Amino acid sequence: MKIFEEYKRIGQQQGFLFESMVDNRTFLSPNDRMLNSKFCMLSKNDMVYYASDSYAAKVGMSSTYSGVYTAIPSNSYDFKAEISKHFWIDFITGRKKVKTNDSFIDKHLSISTNNVEQLLRIIDIRIAKDYLELWDKYSPVKLVVGIDYLQSIVAFKGKLIIGVELNEWVLPERFEQTYNDFKGIIAEMMLKLNRHGNDV
């Protein structure tokens, strides 16, 4: 795939480790493709850019996303959260939203989580504002947190992952800027965490 070749070139030029995989599993005949999946990964130090695309023909389901992720220290076994921009129509769509009791965050962000207290160890108003700037630049983009969030990455097994995620792959020509912007907000979240005891 051309995009894999371009990502590989980026990795070589910028010091990333590169991995990729394409998997076409068939059922009965090659014309009845049951699962088509591919991913690629660029990793450097503790940061990973991961892009995944899958399509299950039998059930008509597809999933495409990419993002920058890292593992953070955690004593939790089930903490998860998803943060996106708040829209007034969220209540119509039935999207559940939790309150943090911070007026700015609650007004501008839509948050789903099973532990608000833990979430507030890694986000604050400054991070919320920086996230909203990312939204203006890359929408739709979301912040994700979860144990074993990316199970296919061996180095992330059993760890709490934080990431910035899109519902598409980053074009190679935009990779460097996107990666640095996403890495920046992750670094802010980790800095906040370090100020509060270094784990969630």
Side-chain angles (χ1 to χ4, degrees):
M1 292 184 63
K2 183 178 178 182
I3 196 167
F4 283 5
E5 294 171 5
E6 293 179 4
Y7 277 145
K8 186 175 183 179
R9 176 182 52 78
I10 289 169
Q12 291 170 340
Q13 292 175 346
Q14 300 184 25
F16 288 90
L17 295 175
F18 172 80
E19 292 181 47
S20 65
M21 184 275 298
V22 175
D23 184 13
N24 294 319
R25 299 181 192 176
T26 58
F27 180 72
L28 296 180
S29 76
N31 294 326
D32 188 12
R33 187 170 288 168
M34 191 169 90
L35 178 65
N36 178 312
S37 63
K38 56 184 177 284
F39 80 83
C40 73
M41 182 169 71
L42 292 164
S43 59
K44 184 191 292 187
N45 300 323
D46 297 328
M47 293 284 179
V48 171
Y49 169 75
Y50 184 82
S52 174
D53 182 64
S54 63
Y55 175 69
K58 282 291 186 181
V59 292
M61 292 180 61
S62 64
S63 173
T64 302
Y65 65 92
S66 69
V68 178
Y69 309 88
T70 195
I72 60 174
S74 175
N75 294 318
S76 174
Y77 297 100
D78 65 349
F79 175 45
K80 59 185 178 180
E82 183 176 301
I83 301 169
S84 60
K85 186 175 180 179
H86 174 65
F87 293 96
W88 69 269
I89 62 168
D90 284 353
F91 79 95
I92 297 174
T93 62
R95 184 172 186 170
K96 292 186 178 180
K97 177 184 174 184
V98 300
K99 297 288 187 182
T100 65
N101 293 323
D102 180 292
S103 58
F104 182 87
I105 292 175
D106 291 340
K107 178 180 179 181
H108 295 283
L109 302 184
S110 181
I111 298 173
S112 61
T113 183
N114 60 351
N115 194 315
V116 173
E117 183 179 329
Q118 285 182 302
L119 180 66
L120 290 176
R121 293 173 68 87
I122 56 176
I123 68 162
D124 55 20
I125 293 175
R126 177 183 170 185
I127 292 168
K129 289 179 177 178
D130 288 345
Y131 162 75
L132 292 170
E133 288 182 10
L134 278 187
W135 177 276
D136 290 340
K137 195 171 182 179
Y138 298 103
S139 66
V141 61
K142 62 184 177 182
L143 304 179
V144 294
V145 184
I147 300 290
D148 272 339
Y149 185 76
L150 295 173
Q151 296 184 10
S152 56
I153 301 179
V154 174
F156 285 174
K157 285 280 188 181
K159 296 182 179 179
L160 181 64
I161 307 305
I162 59 173
V164 186
E165 192 171 277
L166 298 165
N167 61 2
E168 61 187 5
W169 288 28
V170 177
L171 295 175
E173 58 268 27
R174 297 186 65 195
F175 176 81
E176 185 174 5
Q177 183 64 59
T178 304
Y179 177 83
N180 288 334
D181 286 346
F182 288 11
K183 178 182 172 184
I185 197 166
I186 290 174
E188 287 184 41
M189 294 166 73
M190 294 179 69
L191 185 62
K192 177 172 173 56
L193 178 62
N194 290 337
R195 290 198 299 264
H196 292 278
N198 203 38
D199 62 25
V200 176

